[in-house]
Amino acid sequence: MTSSLFAASAADLTIERIRALAARPDQVESLTLEFKREYSLSLVKTIAAMANTYGGMILVGINDKAEPGVERVVGVDAQETIDKIASTCSEKLDPPWEPTFFPVPFDDDSGRSVVVIRVNPNVAPRPLLIDLKAPIRLSGQNSTADRDRLLKLAREETSAAMLPMGQNVMAPRLTQDSEGKATEDFIFRTGINLPMGDAGAWRPLSERSVLALAQALNDSPFPDALRALGHGSFQASTGFRQLGHNRSRTARLVFQAISVAPVQPVEAVVMVNLPEVYGPTSTALMATVTIDVIARVRRYADSIEAEQDYQYPVPNLADLLDGLLQTFVDPSVVTEIARIADIDMALVGQPRELHLVADQQVKNLLHHTGLREIPDAGASAGGIFRANPALDLRVLAERQEQVDDWLRQLGLDAGLTGMEDLVESYRAKTMPAARA
């Protein structure tokens, strides 16, 4: 799903953003997205199909195919189009139901607009019928629910099949040694929940698919981000490989630094957990993919008897967070996650939550260059960082905006000022290279 537009407020739905979406060569019609040049009866069928599946977005006023020399964003008369769609929904849908409409006007005097239609399955009266049939959405097209699918729709609990926009994950825990002391400096965790396809709900994990995911992770920006976090404490690593608790419905892929000290300065763990299925279920099955970044660079410095306590530079954390988010939207990684869950790639959501758990006050872990303590600000040993659902993390500028927001929150929660200026200074140095 194009989550940035789906979650954007009405004020943020601009014709510039829609034109940018339509111009993207990789943005084609999918399970949760459809383009329509103008009103048609098939458009209302698509509304019903999306409502009976995972929801989605229909953009009216856009040619469904990009052709050389042909303008893709053509627009429509917004009020006339909305009136026609609403009238047909009232006449043809059983029970009558309307999605949400957002007219987005052109930035000229043409009077034309693109009509954005959001279909939220959480509020639709499922099953939604048209001509006594229940349409469902397949990849880029509509089909009709068979008897089993129709019964599931009729029996499901409210919200059971909705793709969650809030990708909530459990907070991590620091491990402890035999004396009860933490063995890590801190852990970052993010992740996503995703629905399961019919085959993914019952079949065991494929060895090849797990190995393909490991390869995609190794080829992603993630290893470089982990090396940046390590700050020269290691020169080699194992790369992501299966290690530890792997089962028929659980995959555990681990990246480990190789250093001269007994302490591994950096480690990352990717967990894929498919739900266990025992008999029939009335609720939608959800899989979970989480990434833990485990940092021990401070402990590594202690083990080699460094002259002073190590503190993490903010730019290293910025590179880590950017690499972490970039990995979750990397096309190769998304492809392998979708294959494991047996779902359309459009249903692999973007991470919307980040957890930090530290073994001490965060302000003691950060390098204080450019930062100042707020008197009597109190202590913070971590926190939960929410993401802006209107940001598309596939876009560099929007991903960096999210990282910068998290860093600002990190500084303020730690009782420090100056993070905003520090982040702006860092971006001023790195953005020219990013644009090159």
Side-chain angles (χ1 to χ4, degrees):
M1 185 181 294
T2 53
S3 56
S4 58
L5 287 182
F6 192 90
S9 65
D12 290 331
L13 284 171
T14 63
I15 196 65
E16 292 82 5
R17 295 185 71 180
I18 289 173
R19 283 179 172 143
L21 173 70
R24 286 178 51 182
D26 63 330
Q27 191 64 73
V28 296
E29 293 184 326
S30 68
L31 199 64
T32 57
L33 177 68
E34 182 149 327
F35 301 114
K36 291 287 188 183
R37 180 182 177 88
E38 58 192 1
Y39 163 82
S40 66
L41 181 59
S42 66
L43 189 156
V44 177
K45 184 177 180 181
T46 298
I47 290 173
M50 286 183 172
N52 287 331
T53 317
Y54 294 106
M57 188 168 63
I58 306 167
L59 277 67
V60 188
I62 299 181
N63 285 314
D64 60 352
K65 293 182 180 180
E67 299 179 5
V70 177
E71 180 63 37
R72 193 171 194 193
V73 182
V74 295
V76 293
D77 183 309
Q79 193 58 57
E80 178 185 354
T81 300
I82 293 173
D83 288 345
K84 287 181 179 179
I85 298 171
S87 176
T88 308
C89 285
S90 178
E91 293 174 4
K92 303 291 286 185
L93 296 183
D94 181 16
W97 179 78
E98 290 182 16
T100 305
F101 302 101
F102 296 92
V104 182
F106 281 20
D107 50 0
D108 54 27
D109 297 326
S110 66
R112 300 183 72 77
S113 303
V114 171
V115 176
V116 177
I117 305 173
R118 289 178 179 168
V119 182
N120 187 342
N122 194 36
V123 298
R126 295 157 52 117
L128 199 57
L129 306 180
I130 184 168
D131 296 330
L132 300 180
K133 297 180 180 179
I136 57 172
R137 189 75 176 157
L138 300 179
S139 184
Q141 60 181 327
N142 300 325
S143 184
T144 302
D146 59 18
R147 182 176 181 276
D148 289 342
R149 185 68 171 268
L150 186 59
L151 288 174
K152 287 181 180 179
L153 284 169
R155 292 171 179 170
E156 72 181 6
E157 299 175 0
T158 303
S159 305
M162 179 187 178
L163 179 65
M165 292 302 295
Q167 298 287 351
N168 300 317
V169 294
M170 296 290 291
R173 291 185 178 182
L174 298 171
T175 56
Q176 298 180 339
D177 60 19
S178 58
E179 298 179 356
K181 297 180 180 180
T183 61
E184 299 97 2
D185 299 340
F186 64 81
I187 300 176
F188 272 129
R189 172 178 288 180
T190 189
I192 57 172
N193 302 309
L194 57 155
M196 296 292 295
D198 291 339
W202 57 262
R203 69 185 178 194
L205 284 166
S206 160
E207 291 183 25
R208 291 178 180 174
S209 64
V210 173
L211 291 176
L213 176 58
Q215 186 61 53
L217 290 167
N218 286 326
D219 293 339
S220 76
F222 200 14
D224 284 343
L226 294 170
R227 294 183 188 100
L229 177 67
H231 201 68
S233 59
F234 68 95
Q235 300 298 321
S237 71
T238 62
F240 284 96
R241 73 199 195 286
Q242 287 180 285
L243 182 68
H245 186 86
N246 283 264
R247 295 293 186 270
S248 62
R249 303 190 70 76
T250 301
R252 186 175 188 268
L253 301 172
V254 182
F255 172 104
Q256 291 178 315
I258 299 175
S259 68
V260 296
V263 176
Q264 295 174 347
V266 174
E267 187 175 8
V269 180
V270 176
M271 291 289 297
V272 179
N273 287 295
L274 306 186
E276 297 288 351
V277 183
Y278 300 100
T281 177
S282 61
T283 59
L285 297 173
M286 303 296 294
T288 302
V289 180
T290 59
I291 295 181
D292 287 352
V293 175
I294 302 164
R296 306 186 188 92
V297 183
R298 189 180 178 93
R299 283 172 164 75
Y300 166 85
D302 289 342
S303 71
I304 61 172
E305 299 181 352
E307 294 182 0
Q308 55 186 1
D309 290 340
Y310 179 80
Q311 292 177 308
Y312 291 87
V314 171
N316 291 3
L317 296 181
D319 290 342
L320 170 68
L321 295 177
D322 184 78
L324 187 60
L325 294 180
Q326 192 176 356
T327 297
F328 252 123
V329 297
D330 181 272
S332 297
V333 174
V334 171
T335 296
E336 299 308 328
I337 291 174
R339 183 175 289 120
I340 288 173
D342 187 43
I343 57 174
D344 190 283
M345 287 177 60
L347 294 182
V348 180
Q350 299 184 5
R352 297 302 176 193
E353 188 174 272
L354 178 76
H355 292 266
L356 169 63
V357 178
D359 74 324
Q360 58 185 284
Q361 293 187 44
V362 173
K363 66 181 181 182
N364 295 331
L365 292 173
L366 299 180
H367 198 287
H368 278 212
T369 300
L371 301 175
R372 301 175 301 278
E373 289 192 37
I374 301 172
D376 302 322
S380 169
I384 301 176
F385 302 79
R386 308 294 185 189
N388 180 352
L391 295 178
D392 187 341
L393 302 178
R394 295 171 298 181
V395 179
L396 173 61
E398 296 189 35
R399 186 172 64 250
Q400 290 185 340
E401 180 181 342
Q402 183 58 77
V403 170
D404 295 352
D405 281 347
W406 280 347
L407 290 174
R408 284 190 284 268
Q409 179 184 337
L410 177 67
L412 290 172
D413 286 351
L416 301 169
T417 61
M419 183 67 80
E420 193 161 340
D421 290 340
L422 184 59
V423 168
E424 288 180 0
S425 174
Y426 174 66
R427 291 303 179 203
K429 296 176 181 177
T430 59
M431 282 304 290
R435 289 193 292 263

